[in-house]
Amino acid sequence: MEATPHGAWHQRLLDPSGVREHLQLPEIQGQTMVIDKGLGKHAFADLLETAAPYIQFIKLGFGTSPLYEEPLLRSKIQQATDAGIIISPGGTLLEMAVYQQETAAFFRSLVTLGFTGVEISDGTIEISRQQRTELIKEGIRHGLCVVTEYGKKTAGTLIDPFDFAKTAEADLEAGAEYVIVEARESGVDIGLFDSVGNCREDLFDQLLRRLPGTSRIMWEAPLKSQQAFLLKSLGSNIHLGNIAPSDVLSLEAMRRGLRSDTFPETEAVVPEPVLYMI
């Protein structure tokens, strides 16, 4: 799928930053994961009509997938697949399957329904390192794109930089495509973010020092201020998750410098003094 529209707009207006000029090279493309908490078929179609080129993943949030009537669920999955977007249920549903010892049935359902991705997480329950690796490999055996998530969902829980780096390395080695930094759908008082949604910059710096790189790390950042901070800190082609459907185009505008939050820096223009005769 073409990543930028053709037509009347000059390339320098399409992408002033220049970072989206070569989207045919996937290694430089920042991925966007949208969280869908219950869009209907037509709203979902509208989302894809306006923003599909700027979405790489759609997650049907937490445990909402079994609540849809099956024809609607299949329709949404097919629409996403036809648009070249990986679609998965939320990690909480996988955790429930683990808790109920129904992981085999869970993966069968994903394949039967046509899901193309799966998220492995332990935000609510505890999963051992061995089981986490087995779940990653099970997803791969079923032909799914596997992403993992690190972090607990309890309010006030912080990221442990050392443990995150260790977990991410093991997840990627087991075959995960990306490792997600937990921030829930609120982005408040969780993971890297404080009680008003600001990034704990000292914790963020510690995390970056532990990581060998960020090319396969996805940062959940549901708030615009968080998205702007991460884009300015790590560059326009970082991977961002838990993006609301209504925010996809505004995020892409920020990636390209088409919004004041990430507008290309310029020297202030000082106007010539105006002289008045009295």
Side-chain angles (χ1 to χ4, degrees):
M1 177 175 295
E2 216 34 59
T4 54
H6 294 285
W9 298 108
H10 190 285
Q11 180 61 42
R12 292 180 66 184
L13 293 175
L14 282 173
D15 183 12
S17 69
V19 299
R20 296 303 227 183
E21 288 186 59
H22 306 291
L23 288 184
Q24 68 271 23
L25 302 175
E27 65 270 20
I28 67 165
Q29 180 178 358
Q31 308 284 289
T32 295
M33 176 184 280
V34 168
I35 181 170
D36 172 0
K37 297 189 286 185
L39 295 178
K41 179 170 64 175
H42 300 297
F44 195 78
D46 287 344
L47 169 67
L48 299 185
E49 181 181 7
T50 56
Y54 317 117
I55 303 170
Q56 287 71 43
F57 295 88
I58 293 177
K59 172 172 65 177
L60 303 185
F62 24 97
T64 56
S65 296
L67 304 181
Y68 291 99
E69 292 293 331
E70 189 170 317
L72 173 57
L73 179 59
R74 286 182 179 273
S75 172
K76 293 180 69 169
I77 292 170
Q78 191 62 55
Q79 286 184 64
T81 302
D82 290 346
I85 297 169
I86 294 167
I87 184 166
S88 68
T92 300
L93 191 59
L94 179 277
E95 293 184 46
M96 180 57 70
V98 171
Y99 178 74
Q100 295 186 329
Q101 300 183 358
E102 293 291 354
T103 56
F106 169 81
F107 282 109
R108 282 198 304 271
S109 295
L110 261 59
V111 173
T112 299
L113 291 164
F115 280 106
T116 53
V118 65
E119 180 180 301
I120 310 297
S121 68
D122 58 357
T124 304
I125 65 173
E126 295 297 330
I127 296 178
S128 69
R129 177 66 258 173
Q130 180 181 350
Q131 190 172 22
R132 191 175 173 100
T133 296
E134 289 172 354
L135 289 167
I136 293 169
K137 292 183 175 179
E138 184 70 10
I140 294 169
R141 281 195 294 272
H142 281 87
L144 301 168
C145 175
V146 178
V147 298
T148 62
E149 184 173 73
Y150 178 91
K152 295 299 181 183
K153 296 186 182 297
T154 306
T157 304
L158 303 182
I159 293 291
D160 180 328
F162 178 80
D163 190 54
F164 175 81
K166 182 180 176 182
T167 301
E169 181 181 10
D171 286 355
L172 295 171
E173 192 173 295
E177 293 292 330
Y178 297 96
V179 180
I180 301 170
V181 181
E182 172 72 71
R184 304 202 71 178
E185 70 273 16
S186 67
V188 173
D189 198 24
I190 193 79
L192 291 172
F193 303 117
D194 65 19
S195 59
V196 294
N198 293 328
C199 185
R200 295 181 170 96
E201 295 189 37
D202 56 339
L203 186 58
F204 179 63
D205 291 340
Q206 291 177 45
L207 185 58
L208 293 181
R209 286 197 296 270
R210 293 285 184 184
L211 293 171
T214 59
S215 63
R216 296 176 69 185
I217 304 300
M218 182 173 287
W219 311 84
E220 287 189 345
L223 304 182
K224 185 193 78 167
S225 59
Q226 296 166 355
Q227 296 159 18
F229 172 81
L230 290 165
L231 290 168
K232 289 178 179 179
S233 299
L234 298 175
S236 296
N237 277 315
I238 60 168
H239 314 308
L240 296 173
N242 273 12
I243 306 304
S246 59
D247 290 342
V248 176
L249 288 179
S250 62
L251 171 58
E252 183 64 21
M254 279 202 288
R255 287 190 187 275
R256 297 177 183 224
L258 288 169
R259 194 165 170 170
S260 61
D261 310 83
T262 54
F263 198 85
E265 292 186 9
T266 57
E267 292 185 9
V269 177
V270 180
E272 292 291 331
V274 179
L275 301 179
Y276 294 94
M277 294 185 66
I278 299 176

